[in-house]
Amino acid sequence: MSKIKCDHCHLEYDEDIMIKDENLHFCCKGCQGVYHLLKSDGLDSFYDKLGNKTISPPINSDKDVEKFDTKSFEDNFITQTEDGYKKIDLIIEGIHCAACVWLNEKVLFNTDGIIEANINFSTNKAKIVWDSDKINLSEIILKIRSIGYNAYAYDATIADEKATVAKRDFFIRMMVAVFATMNIMMLSVAKYTGFFTGIDDEIKHYIHIAEFIFSTPVLFYSGWIFFKGAYYGLKNRILNMDFLVSVGALSSYIFSLYILFGGKGESYFDSVAMIITFVLVGKYLEVIGKKSAVDTLDKIKSSIPLEAVVIKNKIKNILPINSVQVGDIVELKAGEKASFDGELISTTASFDESSLSGESLPVDKKKGEKIFSGTINNESVIRYKVDKAYKDSTLNSIVTLLEDSLSSKPKIEHRANEISKGFSITILCLSLITFIVWYYFGINFGFNYDGVSHFEKAFIVAVSVIVIACPCALALATPIANLIGISELAKRRLLFKEAKFIESLAVADTLVLDKTGTLTKGKLKVKKAKILDNNIHKLNLLYSLISNSNHPISKSVKKYLDENYELSEKELFDIKSINSKGLIAKYKNVDGKVFKLLGGNIKLLRDNKINYKFDSLNSVYLFAIDSQVIATFELEDEIKEGAKEFIEKMKSFGIDTIMLTGDNNKTAQKVAKEVGITKFISDVNPIEKAQYIDKLKNQNKTVVMAGDGINDSVALSKSDIAIAMGNSADIALSVSDIVLLDNSLKSLEESFFISKRTYKFIKQNLFISLIYNAITIPLAMAGFVIPLVAALSMSLSSLIVVGNSMRIKLKK
């Protein structure tokens, strides 16, 4: 059987297995697709440059790709967004620098039908959102494979296994490079000693051969990842850091081969090995730095139970957590962690909720009360009914928030990426200019280059310029600081839905606070109750009305009635909630007579033409049947611990703090005076709150709002950064950008502090990387830096950025 070459990779195969395409032959569909992709993009001159050399064929693009469009795959890995688009988390194999992330995002963003593509540099995890009417997931996978990477659905177990394999492969490549470089360094001692003391040409030739033997596996095995990254970057018209490393090392290697086979001058096999080794070691230390930053997320994820005991038809079944459905009955033993949110069926229970709230004391639960996923059952075996599937549970929502925040990018990172885009081509131009100037003008300063040709001097200096430039430090400056900042925030139970809110919070100048549940504990107590009519039937109607409200005041009044009376609920109809005022309902007695019930503040009564005088510094709840007031309640809310100190800290940050509340002016004034707030707005409804936020934004203020109730949700959605306290209503959580799980003002203060500190270090990192390049590139162009020192300097610049970012952790 005759052999024939593939027109793309130039490898030989049996003719009968080749794919024929007009007068062309390809070994696989991958080669065929890449050939036509290069041709359509006007890059077919690549094959002229390739000559007779061979390359590895691309990934087999069609292999197993149909599974990504199956129903079972969609059920397990794909979710739907609120806008009706599909979303998946993928792991992208082959990413080893920020430029790889940029390349993949650029290609995906330019693909019709893809709405969002965010890739986490530290975990290789990509969040992809797409319009299924325009593109299938299999087509997205093929697109990723076409540029030299591979993708598979994120699964924690599989991802960890693959990450371990990839890390092991990286470590082996690095150790091969370190071993070879150490031997080359010993040979270099002899060579450079001989350079000054005299050495036979024959011995020198043998040293060159030995250096060649050691440097070759370093370049082509250890350094293969750089060549691969450079190739796929060029394929997509991008000059990345891999290209600079590859050009510097390969140029030195080719020149050294010329010396080895009879040319005059010194070989630079030692520089080849050291360029690859220093950069590899630097990148490995980056990986270690990043790993310590994501340990918080790993700990949370590793604590999630993988199975649950489900009771069906009085039979216990052990099911994977993804198979448990809403309405299932789950059994939980003492010491076990709840995987789902649900409702307690057992009579009593005790839970450790410190993972969510930070409160170390156990929380006692009664039948019918809420169980949260991630909390631990303290005592006996209990059972509860699942009311949220695992994917919608509190614990999984926390993990998703953390992962999404690590994938997102703040504005300052986008600006840094814009700068780094043209960095590599600028460096290549400077290197070329340097070579021309040194070669044609015979410059001879910097290090002592006596005894070598003009070409060799020019070549050495030009290579040093390429190697010393570090776009990686610039690309790392923002993501590594964000990664550490997000992990530090997560340790303190501060969940940022996107990393960009670190920057927004750091530059904010106005903080708007709700009163109840934010500045105060939100646990109102009835301080004074006045029952004007002790008719038990009328009190039953009061009890029925407040049972239809989730407002903190209604809950507190209900608790007071439970403790002091034995009341029962009656059936009401036409129940209406009036924002910031209360509830109105109707009741029909056995005689068919209809009564109008009103429960709320004084405004509600006046709107319904009930003239009743009631003056109090506290929050009030009034109950009336038709036009007669039956009961009045005065309630008091305690100020949160540290509220005054928090307001003082905000002033020291230069943040203007405003209290916005629906309570009456006297109550608001009392709280404002206690905590030290000088500006407050009272008696405002949810719409007026939102209008006030708009007014502040129209004054070019960057507005942060913190609140916890349904009545805060509109205002929260209007603010630049919305912060929900941990006990917030679901709707407030959904429109918020930051969630404070432990519900404390100390956490709110820490969110500002860590954000400002992280943003400060991002700017420091950008300054360090820009100053590094501004100083070292001219030095290299002037001939003061040899290639191996350039390689060490390049790696150190990235490590300095990583090390500087780690300082975010140091200050408490």
Side-chain angles (χ1 to χ4, degrees), residues 621-690:
Y621 185 90
L622 310 173
F623 175 65
I625 300 177
D626 290 336
S627 59
Q628 182 187 1
V629 175
I630 304 300
T632 65
F633 301 88
E634 293 183 58
L635 301 96
E636 193 173 55
D637 194 3
E638 293 181 55
I639 303 292
K640 280 186 177 178
E641 293 85 357
K644 191 170 184 178
E645 292 77 7
F646 169 74
I647 300 301
E648 288 298 321
K649 181 62 73 173
M650 291 301 102
K651 288 178 183 176
S652 71
F653 285 160
I655 295 171
D656 187 21
T657 307
I658 303 165
M659 185 176 76
L660 204 58
T661 178
D663 281 352
N664 62 66
N665 187 67
K666 288 184 178 180
T667 303
Q669 190 173 35
K670 178 184 175 185
V671 172
K673 186 176 180 180
E674 283 188 46
V675 300
I677 289 178
T678 55
K679 190 183 293 186
F680 65 90
I681 310 294
S682 60
D683 288 316
V684 285
N685 61 38
I687 302 302
E688 290 169 336
K689 284 186 178 183

Side-chain angles (χ1 to χ4, degrees), residues 579-591:
N579 281 335
S580 300
K581 295 178 183 178
L583 284 179
I584 297 176
K586 291 180 180 178
Y587 170 74
K588 183 186 287 187
N589 67 8
V590 291
D591 298 327

Side-chain angles (χ1 to χ4, degrees), residues 536-537 539-541 543-544 566-570:
I536 197 68
H537 178 68
L539 290 181
N540 281 335
L541 293 179
Y543 189 75
S544 304
E566 290 187 10
L567 302 172
S568 59
E569 289 188 42
K570 302 296 180 180

Side-chain angles (χ1 to χ4, degrees), residues 317-333:
N317 301 286
I318 299 176
L319 299 178
I321 54 175
N322 287 323
S323 299
V324 178
Q325 300 176 346
V326 173
D328 284 347
I329 306 300
V330 172
E331 184 176 274
L332 205 62
K333 295 177 182 176

Side-chain angles (χ1 to χ4, degrees), residues 31 130 167 175 185 193-194 305 318 369 387-388 391 472 533 549 560 567 579 622 636 642 677 724 738 748 798-799:
C31 283
W130 74 98
K167 189 176 178 182
M175 292 313 297
M185 288 173 69
T193 303
I318 299 176
E369 289 191 334
D387 59 20
K388 283 185 181 178
K391 66 178 183 178
C472 199
D533 189 334
S549 173
Y560 173 82
L567 302 172
N579 281 335
L622 310 173
E636 193 173 55
I677 289 178
I738 301 168
L748 187 54
S798 293
L799 293 178

